[in-house]
Amino acid sequence: IGVGLVGFGLFFLLFGMLLYFDSVLLAFGNILFLSGLVFIIGFRRTFTFFFQRQKMKGTSFFLGGVVIVLMRWPLLGMLLEAYGFISLFR
């Protein structure tokens, strides 16, 4: 279930970017991606991964970008998410 949710989340994110940053598709993709991540590695491990002391900057940018996309500012939100994703997984 988790791999399917992550796959659909990535599909909706890609499709939302191809359709000139459609905010509804991007928001749906973000929600599916994060819920799939929780299903794959579990709630506690997801929480401890995102909220480690050394990863707080990346987490705040990534989750802030998700909130900005949900508030229908897709371009700014995706830029914040990309920076947060890079700083989380480097």
Side-chain angles (χ1 to χ4, degrees), residues 3 16 27 30-31 38-39 45 51 58 70 76 80 83 87-89:
V3 174
N30 283 328
I31 292 169
V38 169
F39 270 99
R45 290 181 67 188
F51 293 104
L70 289 173
L76 178 64
L80 289 174
Y83 178 72
S87 63
L88 270 174
F89 294 105

Side-chain angles (χ1 to χ4, degrees), residues 56-67:
M56 283 305 288
K57 180 180 173 185
T59 299
S60 62
F61 274 101
F62 183 75
L63 295 179
V66 171
V67 170

Side-chain angles (χ1 to χ4, degrees), residues 1-17 22-37 40 62 69 78 81:
I1 293 175
V3 174
L5 286 173
V6 168
F8 277 118
L10 292 175
F11 171 74
F12 279 112
L13 284 172
L14 178 68
F15 199 57
M17 282 190 256
D22 183 31
S23 61
V24 174
L25 290 173
L26 291 174
F28 195 60
N30 283 328
I31 292 169
L32 286 175
F33 179 77
L34 290 175
S35 63
L37 191 65
I40 289 174
F62 183 75
V69 167
M78 288 305 291
E81 280 184 44

